[in-house]
Amino acid sequence: MSGSDQGVFEEFREEIDPIVFAFGALLTAGVIVAFFVNETLVTETIETVYTWVVSYLNWALLVIVFLIVLFLLFLIVGPWGGIKMGDSDPEYSFLSYFAMLYSAGFAAGVVFWGPTEALFYYDNPSPQFGIEGGTAEAVPYAIQQTLFHWALPQLAVFTIMGLAISYFAYNYEDVPLRVSSALTPILGKDNLDGPAAKVVDILAVFATIGGVATSLGFIGSQFIAGLNYQWGIDLGNIGILIVVTTMTLLFTISMVLGVDKGIRRLSNFNMILFVVLMVATFILGPTLFLLLLGSQAMGGMIADFTSMSLYTGAGSDAGTSWMNSWTVFYWAWALSWSPFAGLFIARISKGRTVREVAFTGIGATSAATIPWFTIVGGTALQYHHTGVADFSAVINNFTPEISGFILFDAFPFGTVFMIAFMVLVTTFFITSADSSTLAVSMMTTGGKARPSNINRIFWGVVLGMTAAILMIIGGEGGTSALQDAVIITGAPFAFVCFLAMLSLIRDFGKHYNQVLFQKETVIYGSRKDADDSSGSARSAGSDDD
């Protein structure tokens, strides 16, 4: 082994946090090895744990995400919005900052589900609204439900973690840039290397791998479906491995180039192609109908936001099952991404204010997401409802990965649109996977802002293998296996996000303006009782002297 090779591995060995790296790597590697030893056992275990989580924790996910949305909206308009992350100026322009935040968050999922999600709500609407599926009345509600799932709530869990990590890392001395730092007031600044913090960071590694591997699985299945749909190329399990390996190689190249040359440039390209494809769909699709549909769906989402956020289907097994399959899945998916997305947001948010981060995280990103789902999803829905294109196979077989190709095949120059769509899906995932491997590497090095390439390559390979396994486990129903896995890994992080929100409230209230109470507030009893108690305590202290 050459001296340079020894230097690389020495740097890798010295930079890692042995506990977080070992437990995170062993936990994930254990699942991979178990799959090859006993595939049936792994599949049954995933299904069992999934059933328990959605049976007992579904309500908690709904309530916690709703509270986080309310808190972020308050930060945008409230007195704490001017608090700054550190003393320096922002490192990136606002547009580059927004593009990286959006691409690193959930844009790959937006592109994947854009042409297809409303079709499922059109066929099987939420029982909350009591609408018959497959009717004209179901059309606006289908888009309304889609906007609800992809606008504020998912974005909120990324943003709350990003805010908490960046605030404590940049405003406190000697607080590292890692997930457990979001709980600094609760854990204590001196305990960030303690066992509780290690548990949080290990959970973050596991949740990130589950969430990102799920997304890679979705994108891989969509890419393979596109090859089969357009050119009749059926690659089978070998194809899954080839596609996942290729994507892993691509985002490895991007991450070796670094944030400035890799993620930033690719994110800017993504947003340009995203807008071009969306505008072209708007012009070539049912333009006037989309304007009417978007206005009504947006109004419905705003009016019904609270009831949709807290709908559990209580008293109706069908309602609860629907909610678990869609809303709980999406919230868990977002929660599984929250450690890495939050850490990456923190990495690029130094110098920005709380208001800027909160607004960009849930406001600007929603402003990009809502038109996409209205235009692309609304066009697919209108084409199916009027018979211009037939999405029956997608709905009946639950094959969302082929929707985009059916939609764009109905356009003039359909092949060009399909190729552009595949490029967009792939590049969005590359930026997401790139930033996620950066985040996992930061988690396993104790918060090092620029981990070594070998560390990032290691986690990139782990992500790719996990995604391939989840896809192969499901076979024809691979999407179901991916959904089960992401709920399992994401649900525990609902409580971490909730504690991160409480940490911010506690610290903001302590060091900045009080919002709800005065500084000296009696929570229980009367002022006289409090004064007497205080006086007694002082007297006792004097007697001791």
Side-chain angles (χ1 to χ4, degrees):
M1 182 180 292
S2 67
S4 60
D5 291 336
Q6 290 179 339
V8 168
F9 283 101
E10 184 67 19
E11 179 187 5
F12 172 70
R13 187 185 64 81
E14 291 180 353
E15 73 178 356
I16 62 172
D17 181 322
I19 296 176
V20 176
F21 182 90
F23 275 92
L26 289 174
L27 192 60
T28 309
V31 174
I32 295 173
V33 171
F35 167 77
F36 287 108
V37 173
N38 192 334
E39 178 180 342
T40 303
L41 176 63
V42 173
T43 304
E44 291 176 351
T45 302
I46 288 176
E47 291 175 353
T48 300
V49 178
Y50 162 80
T51 301
W52 186 89
V53 169
V54 298
S55 297
Y56 296 103
L57 297 180
N58 50 6
W59 65 271
L61 268 64
L62 299 178
V63 172
I64 289 172
V65 171
F66 178 65
L67 292 176
I68 291 172
V69 171
L70 295 183
F71 178 62
L72 290 174
L73 291 173
F74 168 75
L75 290 181
I76 293 174
V77 300
W80 291 337
I83 300 171
K84 195 172 180 181
M85 309 298 175
D87 298 324
S88 61
D89 293 329
E91 188 175 355
Y92 306 99
S93 69
F94 177 78
L95 289 179
S96 289
Y97 174 68
F98 162 71
M100 286 191 290
L101 189 151
Y102 193 67
S103 298
F106 73 153
V110 169
V111 175
F112 179 88
W113 288 101
T116 193
E117 184 166 336
L119 293 167
F120 295 112
Y121 303 150
Y122 165 79
D123 180 67
N124 181 26
S126 169
Q128 176 182 1
F129 299 111
I131 300 166
E132 183 180 353
T135 63
E137 186 183 11
V139 171
Y141 281 97
I143 296 297
Q144 175 181 327
Q145 189 74 48
T146 305
L147 298 185
F148 166 72
H149 279 157
W150 286 95
L152 298 177
Q154 282 202 66
L155 296 159
V157 297
F158 303 156
T159 307
I160 195 69
M161 287 303 298
L163 270 172
I165 296 169
S166 58
Y167 172 74
F168 293 114
Y170 298 136
N171 292 72
Y172 277 58
E173 290 185 6
D174 301 323
V175 172
L177 198 65
R178 61 190 186 206
V179 176
S180 56
S181 298
L183 309 184
T184 297
I186 295 174
L187 297 175
K189 181 182 172 183
D190 296 332
N191 297 321
L192 290 178
D193 288 319
K198 298 295 185 187
V199 169
V200 171
D201 289 328
I202 291 168
L203 280 176
V205 172
F206 191 60
T208 298
I209 291 171
V212 177
T214 297
S215 298
L216 181 50
F218 279 138
I219 302 310
S221 65
Q222 191 169 44
F223 197 92
I224 291 169
L227 295 176
N228 191 20
Y229 180 87
Q230 181 64 17
W231 294 286
I233 302 173
D234 186 5
L235 298 177
N237 287 345
I238 297 299
I240 292 175
L241 295 175
I242 292 173
V243 169
V244 169
T245 301
T246 302
M247 289 188 173
T248 302
L249 178 63
L250 289 174
F251 75 71
T252 299
I253 294 171
S254 175
M255 72 184 179
V256 169
L257 291 174
V259 174
D260 290 332
K261 293 182 179 179
I263 299 176
R264 181 177 62 84
R265 292 178 180 177
L266 198 53
S267 296
N268 292 339
F269 169 79
N270 288 344
M271 294 308 300
I272 293 171
L273 183 57
F274 179 82
V275 171
V276 168
L277 195 58
M278 180 170 60
V279 171
T281 303
F282 179 70
I283 294 172
L284 296 175
T287 305
L288 181 58
F289 169 78
L290 293 174
L291 294 171
L292 297 173
L293 177 64
S295 300
Q296 183 172 338
M298 184 68 179
M301 185 193 72
I302 294 172
D304 297 327
F305 185 81
T306 300
S307 61
M308 293 171 75
S309 295
L310 301 176
Y311 175 71
T312 61
S316 167
D317 290 341
T320 302
S321 177
W322 192 99
M323 179 268 300
N324 285 337
S325 297
W326 288 107
T327 307
V328 171
F329 160 66
Y330 278 132
W331 285 195
W333 191 8
L335 287 161
S336 71
W337 279 61
S338 65
F340 106 77
L343 195 55
F344 183 74
I345 291 170
R347 165 71 175 77
I348 64 176
S349 293
K350 188 174 184 178
R352 299 196 178 273
T353 64
V354 166
R355 182 173 291 111
E356 282 181 290
V357 178
F359 170 75
T360 308
I362 66 172
T365 46
S366 290
T369 301
I370 288 172
W372 172 265
F373 277 103
T374 300
I375 293 170
V376 178
T379 300
L381 195 56
Q382 172 71 350
Y383 280 9
H384 180 70
H385 185 68
T386 57
V388 174
D390 184 10
F391 292 86
S392 299
V394 174
I395 297 171
N396 296 334
N397 302 324
F398 197 79
T399 50
E401 58 269 17
I402 66 174
S403 289
F405 305 105
I406 296 174
L407 170 63
F408 293 119
D409 194 31
F411 281 15
F413 307 105
T415 302
V416 175
F417 277 94
M418 280 190 277
I419 292 173
F421 182 66
M422 292 177 75
V423 170
L424 182 64
V425 166
T426 304
T427 54
F428 261 134
F429 179 77
I430 290 171
T431 52
S432 297
D434 186 349
S435 53
S436 68
T437 52
L438 170 62
V440 174
S441 298
M442 291 169 66
M443 294 175 200
T444 56
T445 57
K448 185 178 179 180
R450 290 177 173 81
S452 65
N453 286 335
I454 190 171
N455 194 331
R456 299 175 69 178
I457 291 170
F458 170 82
W459 288 112
V461 172
V462 169
L463 286 171
M465 291 184 65
T466 306
I469 286 172
L470 290 174
M471 292 170 67
I472 294 171
I473 281 178
E476 293 297 321
T479 302
S480 176
L482 292 168
Q483 289 179 325
D484 291 354
V486 80
I487 288 176
I488 293 169
T489 59
F493 242 82
F495 302 97
V496 177
C497 287
F498 182 67
L499 291 175
M501 179 182 72
L502 294 182
S503 296
L504 287 173
I505 293 173
R506 178 179 176 181
D507 204 83
F508 288 171
K510 181 179 180 181
H511 295 105
Y512 302 93
N513 296 328
Q514 291 284 341
V515 174
L516 186 60
F517 300 117
Q518 302 177 46
K519 288 189 176 181
E520 299 295 333
T521 299
V522 178
I523 302 297
Y524 178 80
S526 66
R527 167 62 65 183
K528 182 177 182 302
D529 293 337
D531 291 341
D532 290 344
S533 175
S534 176
S536 298
R538 285 193 296 270
S539 298
S542 299
D543 292 341
D544 290 340
D545 292 340

